[in-house]
Amino acid sequence: MFSGIIEDMARVVKVEQEKDNVHFTLTCPFVQELKIDQSVAHNGVCLTVVRLKDDTYTVTAMRETLERSNLGLLKVGDEVNVERSMMMNGRLDGHIVQGHVDQTAECVSVEDANGSYIFTFRYAFDKEMASRGYFTVDKGSVTVNGVSLTVCNPGQDTFQVNIIPYTYENTNFHNIKPGTKVNIEFDIIGKYLSRMMSLTNRF
């Protein structure tokens, strides 16, 4: 479980294909604190640390993860937003994030808002999935590349988020431009409510 508050950025140092899996080796400021089997969110995707060596660590993504997220696009030198699992004895500064990316979205525009930035994203809309809570609502929560954000101006297949300078500079949002694919995770509370409503209407 995560909060969507990015701890730091990791840098990809090696990408290895093994059958349908891909092993990513990365380095980040807190690598010396990591342990084997620990969960770390990478651009919002929960992955398990499988190897530690010197100042690097390795995680493995399977085919389903690669197809559903933007991790398959990563190459050596890329920056990745990283967050270790949430500690339950502190404040929840973001929102409840599972680390289970639902799908990717594409950035369609970035606007300078005189002190902040407005990013617009478009995702593949599916009516059946929307009935199960896979959509955005105004002032609701959404996770973009692992960052907990508030939705603005949601459309049927688009939404906007406002990014303050701190978030822009300290996450990989500064690398996002029109055409960039990002990972999105819709709000789990919305999914549960949609599921409950569908069962109520059925019975």
Side-chain angles (χ1 to χ4, degrees), residues 35-81:
K35 299 178 181 180
I36 300 295
D37 286 340
Q38 189 168 0
S39 295
V40 180
H42 296 75
N43 279 354
V45 181
C46 179
L47 298 173
T48 301
V49 176
V50 297
R51 186 165 65 242
L52 292 166
K53 184 178 180 181
D54 300 326
D55 62 345
T56 67
Y57 69 97
T58 302
V59 293
T60 301
M62 59 186 180
R63 178 168 41 172
E64 196 272 345
T65 301
L66 297 169
E67 291 175 349
R68 189 180 288 265
S69 72
N70 64 7
L71 295 188
L73 301 175
L74 291 178
K75 57 187 183 300
V76 172
D78 283 350
E79 292 178 319
V80 181
N81 295 332

Side-chain angles (χ1 to χ4, degrees), residues 82-152:
V82 286
E83 178 194 355
R84 285 173 285 185
S85 57
M86 181 173 58
M87 298 181 67
M88 300 304 289
N89 62 347
R91 295 183 176 89
L92 179 59
D93 290 324
H95 73 283
I96 297 173
V97 177
Q98 292 186 295
H100 302 159
V101 166
D102 294 310
Q103 62 186 91
T104 58
E106 182 177 324
C107 177
V108 295
S109 70
V110 181
E111 304 171 50
D112 187 334
N114 193 28
S116 61
Y117 302 88
I118 300 173
F119 286 76
T120 302
F121 296 100
R122 175 175 288 113
Y123 59 95
F125 176 80
D126 181 271
K127 189 174 181 180
E128 171 61 26
M129 294 298 287
S131 70
R132 294 161 53 189
Y134 292 77
F135 61 92
T136 57
V137 297
D138 197 30
K139 306 305 180 186
S141 296
V142 69
T143 309
V144 177
N145 270 3
V147 183
S148 172
L149 296 167
T150 300
V151 173
C152 300

Side-chain angles (χ1 to χ4, degrees), residues 104-203:
T104 58
E106 182 177 324
C107 177
V108 295
S109 70
V110 181
E111 304 171 50
D112 187 334
N114 193 28
S116 61
Y117 302 88
I118 300 173
F119 286 76
T120 302
F121 296 100
R122 175 175 288 113
Y123 59 95
F125 176 80
D126 181 271
K127 189 174 181 180
E128 171 61 26
M129 294 298 287
S131 70
R132 294 161 53 189
Y134 292 77
F135 61 92
T136 57
V137 297
D138 197 30
K139 306 305 180 186
S141 296
V142 69
T143 309
V144 177
N145 270 3
V147 183
S148 172
L149 296 167
T150 300
V151 173
C152 300
N153 302 319
Q156 178 171 282
D157 63 349
T158 62
F159 65 92
Q160 293 181 328
V161 291
N162 290 294
I163 302 299
I164 61 174
Y166 179 87
T167 303
Y168 184 84
E169 295 163 5
N170 290 278
T171 70
N172 59 17
F173 260 90
H174 58 254
N175 294 325
I176 297 175
K177 56 186 183 297
T180 299
K181 283 189 176 182
V182 298
N183 297 328
I184 57 174
E185 180 184 327
F186 298 107
D187 187 13
I188 184 61
I189 295 176
K191 295 174 190 174
Y192 273 115
L193 289 174
S194 295
R195 177 64 171 163
M196 289 172 63
M197 290 176 63
S198 69
L199 292 177
T200 300
N201 292 336
R202 186 177 301 174
F203 299 108

